[in-house]
Amino acid sequence: MTEEGRNQPEGPDFTQGVAPAEISEGRPLLGHVAGEDAVMARQGDEFFVIGAHCTHYHGPLAEGLVVGGSIRCPWHHACFSLRSGRALRAPAFDPLPRWRVEQADGKVFARERLPDPARPERKGAPEPRGVVIVGGGAAGFAAAQMLRAEGYDGILELISADLVEPYDRPNLSKDYLAGTAQADWLPLRDPAWYRDNGVQLRLGQRVESLDPAGKRLTLTDGAALSYDALLLSTGAFPIKLPTPGAERSHVHYLRSLADADRLIAACAGVRRVAVIGASFIGLEVAASLRARGLDVRVIAPEEIPMARILGPEIGAHVKKLHESHGVIFHLGDTATEIGERTLTLKSGATLDADLVVIGVGVKPDLSLAQSAGLAVDRGVLVDEYLQTSAPGIYAAGDIASWPDKITGERIRVEHWVVAERQGQTAARNILGRKEKFDAAPFFWSQHYDEAISYIGNAASWDRLEMSGDPAAADCAVSYFKGDRLLAVATIGRDLDNLRAEVAFEARIGAEPPESIE
C-alpha cells in the first residue's frame, strides 16, 4: 500500500449513507465524514455519528462498547453521550464531535457537523454561593471542571500544594519519565481555562486549619476563606523508608511533576539504577528508565511481583516481560543500607547504584480531616453521596472511604480514574443532584507495549479463574471471594474489561452514566 493509501480514512463515507443492517447494537462502525474519522452507533431505531477517537488519550472508540445512550472507550473507560457528545465520565472531559443524522431511501446519512453542547443553565434548587476545593489532583480538578460544566457560576476556589496547575499524574511514571511525552502534554487544562472559567487557583498553598462549624479555612499564608460547600481531596504522599541512607541526594520518590523533573535530571550521566519496590509505580518507573537505556535492578520482598493483587500467573508474566527488556530482579530481598553508590541487601549482596528510586506505596493525607474532627478510619468516612460526617463537606479521591456495593464493604482505593469520577459525583452533589457514587473502580498499568486493565476491587480473594494466556498478552482473570465476583483483570482484552464494568453496574443497579445529562 502506498503512503498516501495508508493515510486514507478507513470504512465507509457516512455522507454517502450506510444501510441500517450494517450497524450492530452495542458495537460502533468505523467510518468517516469529510475525511474526519467517525463512528456510527445504533440505539434501537435511532442512529448517531460521533468522533472516532476518545478525547482522553485518543483511544479507538470503534473498538469500544455502546451501552444505552453512551459509548465507552476501550482503553481507560471514558464514557460519552451518543446524543450530545458530552463526556459523561472521566478520564475524558472534552466532548466528541458529532454530526446530524438523517434516514432516507433506506440508508442512514451523516449531514452537517453540530456545535458542541452548550453549558446548561442552573435552575431550581438553591446553590452554594462559594465552593472551595482543597487539593489540585485528579478529584479536585474533576470537581472544578464539573461544577462549571454543570453551569455553576458562583465563587469557586481550588487550593493546591503543587506549584503548577493540575496535570496528568499517571503519565509521570510512564511516557513522561520515559522521555516520550513532552511537558506540554501534561496539563489537564491550559492556564487560560481557569481564568476564563472563573476558577481561582491558589497554588503552592496548604490549609492550616478547618472550622466545619464556622465554614472557614485558614491557609498557610494566613489567608482566611469562607465557603458554603467544601470538597476535601488532599490525596496521598509516598511512604518513606527508614533505611539508613534513604535521605541521600541520589534517592528519589515519584509523586509530583517536580519529583519527575528531578528524577529525569538525575538520569543524566548515570548508568545504574536501583528501584526499591515492585509495585505498579516501581515497575512503571523501571520500564521508563529502561527506555532511557539505564541498567535497572528491582528489589522487593515478595517472590512474585504484584501476585497479591493480580495473582501469580499475571505477576510471573509481568516479571518475565520486564526481564525480556533487561530488568534484573532481586526478589525475596530488601535493602538494608543505601550508600554513596551502592545498595546493601538483607541477603548480603551489594549492588552498584548511581541512582535509587523508592516506590513502596502511599498513605492518604488525613491530617486536615482529623484535625477538623471529621470521622476518620483509615480514610475519611463518607456516605454513598461522598458527604463526610460534617454537613456541606465532601471528600473524594485517595482519602475517601466509601460503602462499595460490589464488595459489600467500605473501601478506599488510590486510582486516578476513581478519584476523577468521585470528584465529578461530589460536584454534582454539591449542586443538589443527590447522585450516588456507585461506579466500579478502574485502573490501568502500562508495561512497555502491554497494558493491564483492572475493574472492580479485590483487596483479598480466595479463588481466581483465568482464560487465555498471559504470555500471549491475551488473557482475563476473574477474582472471587466465595461466590462473589470482586474484580476482573485483562491483558489484550479491552472489550472484555468494558463488559465486566457494565456487568458490575447491572449487578448493583448503578445509575446509567447517560442519566446525568
Side-chain angles (χ1 to χ4, degrees):
M1 182 182 292
T2 64
E3 185 67 29
E4 180 180 355
R6 278 194 293 269
N7 291 331
Q8 295 301 309
E10 296 182 43
D13 181 348
F14 293 147
T15 64
Q16 301 302 306
V18 176
E22 296 183 39
I23 314 298
S24 302
E25 288 273 3
R27 293 303 306 275
L29 174 67
L30 177 63
H32 56 95
V33 180
E36 185 172 354
D37 291 339
V39 294
M40 185 177 286
R42 179 174 191 164
Q43 184 181 19
D45 293 329
E46 195 170 9
F47 297 85
F48 306 88
V49 177
I50 54 178
H53 302 289
C54 178
T55 58
H56 174 231
Y57 274 5
H58 213 63
L61 294 180
E63 299 174 17
L65 196 62
V66 173
V67 183
S70 67
I71 185 169
R72 306 190 186 201
C73 177
W75 285 2
H76 308 124
H77 294 210
C79 183
F80 300 87
S81 167
L82 291 174
R83 190 169 303 280
S84 69
R86 184 183 178 191
L88 302 177
R89 275 185 179 171
F93 297 104
D94 295 317
L96 294 170
R98 59 198 175 103
W99 291 265
R100 185 174 68 86
V101 173
E102 184 177 76
Q103 297 188 54
D105 302 322
K107 289 187 175 182
V108 182
F109 295 85
R111 299 306 192 193
E112 73 277 7
R113 184 163 173 165
L114 296 171
D116 286 343
R119 177 181 292 181
E121 293 185 10
R122 300 295 306 172
K123 296 179 181 179
E127 296 179 346
R129 291 169 297 175
V131 177
V132 174
I133 299 170
V134 181
F141 168 79
Q145 190 275 338
M146 181 57 70
L147 285 166
R148 290 308 190 215
E150 286 285 302
Y152 174 66
D153 59 4
I155 298 171
L156 179 53
E157 302 200 54
L158 193 157
I159 302 163
S160 176
D162 223 311
L163 297 175
V164 295
E165 294 83 0
Y167 49 84
D168 185 14
R169 181 171 284 126
N171 215 323
L172 296 182
S173 59
K174 301 178 179 71
D175 292 339
Y176 186 68
L177 182 57
T180 56
Q182 304 305 310
D184 59 4
W185 296 6
L186 293 179
L188 296 174
R189 280 293 185 269
D190 184 273
W193 180 88
Y194 300 92
R195 181 182 65 250
D196 295 343
N197 286 274
V199 179
Q200 175 65 46
L201 283 177
R202 294 178 179 266
L203 300 176
Q205 287 291 326
R206 293 183 180 274
V207 177
E208 187 75 26
S209 63
L210 163 61
D211 175 12
K215 293 191 172 183
R216 289 177 62 83
L217 297 166
T218 302
L219 306 188
T220 49
D221 67 355
L225 304 178
S226 298
Y227 64 85
D228 295 305
L230 174 68
L231 173 63
L232 297 180
S233 55
T234 47
F237 52 87
I239 295 173
K240 303 282 186 172
L241 285 184
T243 307
E247 75 288 347
R248 293 182 183 273
S249 61
H250 69 295
V251 178
H252 295 259
Y253 295 84
L254 178 55
R255 180 69 178 175
S256 68
L257 177 57
D259 292 338
D261 287 338
R262 282 191 290 268
L263 181 53
I264 290 169
C267 287
V270 305
R271 182 171 62 86
R272 299 158 302 191
V273 180
V275 177
I276 299 176
S279 62
F280 289 106
I281 185 70
L283 292 184
E284 287 177 357
V285 166
S288 295
L289 296 184
R290 281 299 297 146
R292 288 182 172 271
L294 302 181
D295 295 338
V296 178
R297 294 174 181 258
V298 174
I299 302 95
E302 57 265 38
E303 297 294 337
I304 301 176
M306 300 187 292
R308 184 182 65 83
I309 300 298
L310 298 178
E313 292 86 357
I314 290 186
H317 167 67
V318 170
K319 177 175 179 286
K320 289 180 180 178
L321 177 63
H322 281 269
E323 288 175 333
S324 72
H325 285 79
V327 174
I328 298 174
F329 285 88
H330 298 266
L331 299 175
D333 216 340
T334 56
T336 57
E337 185 174 1
I338 302 173
E340 286 277 355
R341 290 291 180 267
T342 60
L343 199 71
T344 303
L345 304 185
K346 185 178 181 180
S347 62
T350 300
L351 307 180
D352 293 328
D354 306 310
L355 188 64
V356 177
V357 183
I358 298 175
V360 293
V362 297
K363 286 185 178 180
D365 187 352
L366 306 177
S367 56
L368 180 61
Q370 288 174 320
S371 65
L374 302 184
V376 171
D377 181 10
R378 292 171 293 181
V380 179
L381 301 184
V382 297
D383 63 16
E384 57 192 347
Y385 304 104
L386 302 181
Q387 183 162 265
T388 70
S389 57
I393 300 180
Y394 297 79
D398 294 347
I399 65 171
S401 172
W402 81 95
D404 174 56
K405 292 182 180 178
I406 294 175
T407 59
E409 301 173 352
R410 181 171 286 277
I411 66 172
R412 186 187 63 81
V413 299
E414 296 155 359
H415 306 330
W416 182 257
V417 174
V418 173
E420 289 179 319
R421 291 181 176 181
Q422 287 186 340
Q424 292 176 321
T425 294
R428 289 191 284 263
N429 287 334
I430 284 171
L431 299 179
R433 287 291 295 268
K434 295 297 289 183
E435 176 186 302
K436 297 178 182 179
F437 181 76
D438 50 18
F442 169 79
F443 74 85
W444 80 95
S445 183
Q446 189 75 31
H447 302 264
Y448 309 100
D449 58 349
E450 290 187 18
I452 301 170
S453 296
Y454 184 103
I455 188 76
N457 184 74
S460 63
W461 41 270
D462 51 33
R463 176 170 61 91
L464 61 80
E465 295 179 359
M466 174 180 287
S467 64
D469 182 8
D474 176 26
C475 71
V477 182
S478 299
Y479 304 87
F480 295 84
K481 178 169 282 189
D483 293 330
R484 185 191 287 261
L485 175 64
L486 299 180
V488 175
T490 60
I491 301 176
R493 296 188 181 184
D494 293 333
L495 198 57
D496 285 352
N497 208 270
L498 274 178
R499 287 174 175 144
E501 179 179 58
V502 173
F504 277 132
E505 291 170 359
R507 190 176 96 190
I508 64 176
E511 187 176 5
E514 61 269 20
S515 68
I516 70 172
E517 287 205 292

